[in-house]
């Protein structure tokens, strides 16, 4: 502003009067306005410059129990738990396939839907049910059964040619495939023809005791 030509030179007699008039006009309730040529409406002459709405740094806090179907008395108070306890509980609920807002029979319906195609064809493969076993074949593969010990239990011998052997497997899930192939070799070493070995584990899909030390798993359906 110092580079601009002043409206009144220093010492001008009208300077003091002009300042008083300007101060008086600003003190009035009358808002000075003019007609904007683009808006075609009156707008204030003196207005604060608008820099846009303030930036929203976060969403407003809301109760995490909103929008739920759970009754208030059935809520799980995660706030009262430590972070470790809350994580353990969350894992338990996630693996149970039965969240608090669902019915208790949800996991049974889930397992029944998975089992329905097998029941339609009347097969016991995929379950831990025992089936027919030829006593003569069982006697011939006794050396293989003794090597397996408590790791696997013979459930049935399937197929028209009696060459498919079903076992209930109790070992580690990470060794399931390899153990099944090794069992085929053990049976063939007993001079018994073997086309396939099936290791049944029911609804077990992981080694809970070795899964990060967590012994959490969902409820199992009846076999």
């Amino acid at each position: 502003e110092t580079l601009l030509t002043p409206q009144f030179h220093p010492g001008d007699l009208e300077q003091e009067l002009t300042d008083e008039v300007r101060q008086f006009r600003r003190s009035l309730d009358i808002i000075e306005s003019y007609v904007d040529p683009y808006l075609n409406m009156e707008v204030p002459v003196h207005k604060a410059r608008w820099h846009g709405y303030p930036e929203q740094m976060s969403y407003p806090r809301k109760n995490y129990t909103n929008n739920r179907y759970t009754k208030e008395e059935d809520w799980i108070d995660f706030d009262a738990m430590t972070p470790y306890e809350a994580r353990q509980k969350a894992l338990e609920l996630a693996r149970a396939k039965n969240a608090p807002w669902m019915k208790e029979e949800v996991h049974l319906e889930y397992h029944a839907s998975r089992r329905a195609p097998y029941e339609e064809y009347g097969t016991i493969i995929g379950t831990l049910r025992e089936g027919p076993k030829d006593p003569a074949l069982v006697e011939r593969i006794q050396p293989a059964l003794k090597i397996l010990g408590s790791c696997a239990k013979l459930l049935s011998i399937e197929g028209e040619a009696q060459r498919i052997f079903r076992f209930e497997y109790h070992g580690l899930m990470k060794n399931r495939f390899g153990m099944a192939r090794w069992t085929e070799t053990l049976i063939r070493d007993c001079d018994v023809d073997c086309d396939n070995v099936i290791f049944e584990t029911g609804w077990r899909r992981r080694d809970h005791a070795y899964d990060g030390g967590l012994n959490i798993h969902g409820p199992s359906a009846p076999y």
Side-chain angles (χ1 to χ4, degrees):
E1 294 181 359
T2 57
L3 300 179
L4 300 177
T5 302
Q7 185 177 4
F8 297 96
H9 294 282
D12 194 309
L13 298 178
E14 296 183 2
Q15 177 68 47
E16 183 178 355
L17 177 61
T18 302
D19 293 341
E20 292 180 0
V21 173
R22 182 181 294 110
Q23 185 66 27
F24 171 74
R25 295 180 63 182
R26 289 180 178 178
S27 65
L28 298 176
D29 294 334
I30 302 175
I31 300 178
E32 298 183 16
S33 62
Y34 69 98
V35 178
D36 189 284
Y38 299 100
L39 301 179
N40 194 22
M41 60 181 296
E42 290 190 0
V43 295
V45 176
H46 305 285
K47 57 183 180 296
R49 185 176 181 182
W50 187 70
H51 299 276
Y53 295 107
E55 183 180 359
Q56 185 177 2
M57 304 304 296
S58 62
Y59 291 103
R61 296 184 62 86
K62 294 183 179 180
N63 189 356
Y64 68 89
T65 58
N66 65 336
N67 298 331
R68 294 195 179 187
Y69 300 99
T70 314
K71 297 180 181 179
E72 187 173 356
E73 58 271 15
D74 296 334
W75 284 343
I76 298 176
D77 190 6
F78 284 97
D79 294 334
M81 302 180 184
T82 62
Y84 176 79
E85 293 174 343
R87 182 178 182 275
Q88 299 290 89
K89 189 63 178 178
L91 286 176
E92 180 181 353
L93 294 175
R95 295 178 180 177
K97 293 186 176 66
N98 186 15
W101 55 85
M102 297 181 181
K103 300 179 182 178
E104 295 182 357
E105 298 80 9
V106 168
H107 67 281
L108 296 177
E109 296 175 359
Y110 171 78
H111 290 314
S113 64
R114 295 289 297 273
R115 182 62 198 168
Y118 298 91
E119 297 293 347
E120 182 179 353
Y121 287 95
T123 178
I124 60 175
I125 295 178
T127 70
L128 298 180
R129 303 171 189 169
E130 295 193 19
K133 292 176 283 188
D134 188 353
L137 283 179
V138 175
E139 186 63 28
R140 292 177 60 184
I141 64 174
Q142 279 301 318
L145 297 180
K146 290 181 180 179
I147 294 176
L148 292 175
S150 61
C151 181
K153 171 188 174 183
L154 182 62
L155 294 177
S156 66
I157 303 176
E158 303 291 334
E160 296 180 359
Q162 298 287 292
R163 295 181 180 180
I164 301 176
F165 297 81
R166 290 178 59 247
F167 291 84
E168 180 181 356
Y169 178 62
H170 300 286
L172 296 178
M173 293 297 293
K174 64 179 182 179
N175 300 330
R176 179 184 179 185
F177 182 79
M179 287 289 294
R181 303 289 75 79
W182 180 53
T183 304
E184 288 184 17
T185 303
L186 293 179
I187 295 177
R188 293 192 183 105
D189 291 342
C190 299
D191 293 331
V192 176
D193 293 333
C194 178
D195 291 340
N196 190 18
V197 170
I198 301 175
F199 273 179
E200 305 283 10
T201 58
W203 300 117
R204 183 165 66 101
R205 294 293 180 268
R206 59 172 63 87
D207 298 317
H208 301 292
Y210 292 88
D211 190 9
L214 302 178
N215 190 20
I216 297 176
H217 53 85
S220 298
Y223 304 122

